[in-house]
C-alpha cells in the first residue's frame, strides 16, 4: 500500500469559500439549498454554476431549493429549470419552497409550478417529493424561456 502525503498549503494560498447559497442536509438523501437574494441577469451564471455543483456533487435523491426572497425573477425561474435537469440526470427530484405568496405566484404565472414541485413550506416540499420520480416530460420551449 502506498501512502501519499500532501504538502501543507501555505496559509496565504487558502481562499475563503464564496458560497452564494447556504445549504444543509435533512438526511442522507435530502439536500436543502437556501436562496436569500434575488437572482438577476448579472448573477445568473454564478448562481447556476454553484447550484449545479452543489446538486451534482451531493448524491442526494431529493434536492429542495428553499426560496426565502419574495421577488423571483424570470432569470431565477430559468436557472431553476436548468438545474432541475442536472438533478434529474443524477436521478434526483428537485422541489422548490417558495415561502412568499408573490414568489409562488411567479412560478404559477410562468407555468412551471408543477415541473418544479413548488410548495409553500419545507415540510410540503418533502411530502411532495416523497415517492416522486424525476418528471420525464421536458417543459415546453415556452416554459424554459420565461421572460427571455
Amino acid at each position: 500500500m502506498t501512502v501519499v502525503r500532501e504538502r501543507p498549503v501555505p496559509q496565504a494560498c487558502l481562499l475563503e469559500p464564496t458560497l452564494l447559497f447556504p445549504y444543509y442536509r435533512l438526511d442522507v438523501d435530502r439536500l436543502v439549498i437556501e436562496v436569500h437574494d434575488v437572482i438577476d441577469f448579472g448573477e445568473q451564471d454564478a448562481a447556476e454554476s454553484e447550484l449545479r455543483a452543489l446538486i451534482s456533487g451531493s448524491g442526494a435523491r431529493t434536492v429542495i431549493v428553499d426560496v426565502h426572497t419574495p421577488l423571483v425573477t424570470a432569470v431565477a425561474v430559468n436557472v431553476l429549470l436548468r438545474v432541475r435537469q442536472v438533478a434529474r440526470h443524477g436521478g434526483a427530484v428537485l422541489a422548490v419552497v417558495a415561502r412568499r405568496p408573490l414568489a409562488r405566484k411567479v412560478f404559477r404565472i410562468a407555468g412551471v409550478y408543477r415541473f418544479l414541485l413548488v410548495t409553500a413550506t419545507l415540510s410540503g416540499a418533502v411530502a411532495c417529493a416523497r415517492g416522486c420520480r424525476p418528471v420525464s416530460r421536458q417543459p415546453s420551449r415556452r416554459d424554459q424561456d420565461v421572460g427571455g
Side-chain angles (χ1 to χ4, degrees):
M1 177 186 300
T2 305
V3 176
V4 177
R5 295 183 189 256
E6 295 182 15
R7 291 185 195 175
V9 179
Q11 202 63 6
C13 294
L14 294 177
L15 299 175
E16 287 292 320
T18 56
L19 293 176
L20 296 174
F21 308 110
Y23 64 96
Y24 59 93
R25 287 188 177 273
L26 292 174
D27 57 35
V28 174
D29 287 333
R30 288 184 238 164
L31 175 70
V32 179
I33 303 169
E34 295 181 344
V35 177
H36 292 279
D37 293 320
V38 175
I39 300 173
D40 63 17
F41 186 74
E43 291 126 14
Q44 73 178 337
D45 292 338
E48 183 173 343
S49 225
E50 185 167 322
L51 288 170
R52 284 176 176 272
L54 287 171
I55 292 168
S56 62
S58 73
R61 293 323 230 166
T62 301
V63 176
I64 299 169
V65 178
D66 192 353
V67 180
H68 291 260
T69 177
L71 178 59
V72 175
T73 63
V75 170
V77 173
N78 285 327
V79 166
L80 290 174
L81 283 170
R82 289 190 298 267
V83 299
R84 173 186 169 269
Q85 296 305 315
V86 172
R88 195 173 140 248
H89 284 108
V93 173
L94 184 125
V96 175
V97 176
R99 293 181 177 270
R100 308 285 183 94
L102 181 58
R104 289 190 300 277
K105 185 174 183 178
V106 170
F107 288 110
R108 216 174 8 261
I109 289 170
V112 297
Y113 202 78
R114 290 185 185 149
F115 296 117
L116 294 175
L117 302 177
V118 178
T119 65
T121 64
L122 185 57
S123 60
V126 169
C128 189
R130 186 179 297 129
C132 289
R133 291 187 180 165
V135 178
S136 59
R137 186 175 85 74
Q138 297 285 334
S140 69
R141 175 84 176 145
R142 187 180 127 260
D143 292 336
Q144 290 180 345
D145 291 327
V146 175

